[in-house]
């Protein structure tokens, strides 16, 4: 068996060493043009040249949950595309989103400013009932986030493509359920995959449907959000603030308004990081499963190329 590693932006050495440790009897190499034909590839935004040189691949293992960038490339038609299934990301996402919700709800930024100004003062506590949190996307990450938020007693709403039942979460689904979902939410968390159906999904129309004093948390992809529409609604006061981890262009260009907007908190696409050990263990387990003939349908994280996630 021959495995190639081809991940733009990742340091290859520790990954290749980890994969070799998982498959000591097999060939594992960092890809270079002209490399021999491989059975499996471990990838993140590989160059098109890599795919053109490796048309025989049986499977591509993406070292992230989102496959939007990978699916833009011309992929070998027979190759399975497998994304990360949690691999330590859902707990990170739950802590990031909970932190953002609680920071806003408890006005911790305001307290910090007061303390820095030497001011000892109290703010009136808000009612949780007035801060329903809507989670768009109830997959591996969204469901964990929604369940976690119920532990803090926020009313939690969820929206997905197919109907779901999650204890403590009022679930809506499909295009028909979207307007009710938005009207029931004040805080909006985006955990959708980026597909043609979800691109620009947070726009002036949808964001205007949120309850007044809304708060937006985007931890999925920058292209889910129409940047100018968010800024217009922040300026109008309909939206009170936003926490954004992902952007249309990353790194966020120096001149972008999000850097300095007083109602926006940004982080550099770090809400749920790929953890190397968990990721290698998960991919190695799946390669062994495929090699031993386990039915593909029983593997978690196999991407449906037609759906785009
Ligand atoms: P999943 O595929 O497990 O979940 C996707 C969810 O979105 C599913 O509930 C799905 O519905 C729903 N969905 C998809 N399309 C639609 C639609 N058109 N309308 C309504 N609901 C829809 O993905 P993950 O939870 O693993 O990851 C979600 C995304 O998070 C990734 O695609 C990635 O972009 C982003 N991400 C960001 C990270 C960061 O650091 N910022 C880290 C990791 C991921 P259904 O259940 O019915 O299929
Ligand atoms: C992912 C990401 O998709 O890190 O895994 O954004």
């Amino acid at each position: 068996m021959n495995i190639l590693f081809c991940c733009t932006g990742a340091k290859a050495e520790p990954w290749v060493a980890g994969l070799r440790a998982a498959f000591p009897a097999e060939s594992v190499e960092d890809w270079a043009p002209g490399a021999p034909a491989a059975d499996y590839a471990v990838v993140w935004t590989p160059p098109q040249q890599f795919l053109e040189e490796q048309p025989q691949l049986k499977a591509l293992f993406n070292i992230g949950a989102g496959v939007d960038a990978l699916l833009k490339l011309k992929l070998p038609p027979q190759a399975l595309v497998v994304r990360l299934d949690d691999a330590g990301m859902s707990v990170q996402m739950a802590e990031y989103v909970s932190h953002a919700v609680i920071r806003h709800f408890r006005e911790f930024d305001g307290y910090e400013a007061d303390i820095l100004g030497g001011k000892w003062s109290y703010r009136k506590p808000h009612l949780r009932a007035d801060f329903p949190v809507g989670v768009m996307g109830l997959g591996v990450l969204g469901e964990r986030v929604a369940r976690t938020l119920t532990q803090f007693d926020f009313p939690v709403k969820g929206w997905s493509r197919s109907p779901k039942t999650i204890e403590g979460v009022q679930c809506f689904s499909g295009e028909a359920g979207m307007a009710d979902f938005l009207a029931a939410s004040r805080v909006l968390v985006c955990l959708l995959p980026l597909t043609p159906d979800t691109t620009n999904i947070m726009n002036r129309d949808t964001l205007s449907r949120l309850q007044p004093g809304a708060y937006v948390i985007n931890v999925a992809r920058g292209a889910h959000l129409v940047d100018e529409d968010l800024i217009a609604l922040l300026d109008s006061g309909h939206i009170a603030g936003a926490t954004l981890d992902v952007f249309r262009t990353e790194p966020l260009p120096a001149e972008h308004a999000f850097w300095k907007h007083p109602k926006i908190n940004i982080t550099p696409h770090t809400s749920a990081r790929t953890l190397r050990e968990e990721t290698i263990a998960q991919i190695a387990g799946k390669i062994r499963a495929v090699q031993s003939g386990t039915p593909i349908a029983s593997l978690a994280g196999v991407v449906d190329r037609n759906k785009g996630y």
Side-chain angles (χ1 to χ4, degrees), residues 44 62-68 84 89 93 141 219-221 245-246 250 269-274:
W44 182 255
N62 190 52
I63 63 163
V67 287
D68 45 294
L84 284 189
M89 284 196 278
M93 210 45 112
L141 305 182
V219 278
R221 287 291 182 264
D245 183 51
V246 287
E250 295 180 1
H269 198 142
T270 195
S271 50
R273 303 288 293 270
T274 293

Side-chain angles (χ1 to χ4, degrees), residues 1-4 19 23 26 28 39-42 59 61 82 280-294 299:
M1 183 178 37
N2 192 346
I3 302 171
L4 281 176
L19 287 162
F23 294 103
E26 312 294 347
V28 180
D39 302 289
Y40 302 104
V42 175
F61 292 92
V82 187
I280 290 174
Q282 183 173 112
I283 292 173
K286 287 178 183 171
I287 291 178
R288 286 189 198 103
V290 174
Q291 284 288 96
S292 65
T294 302
L299 286 187

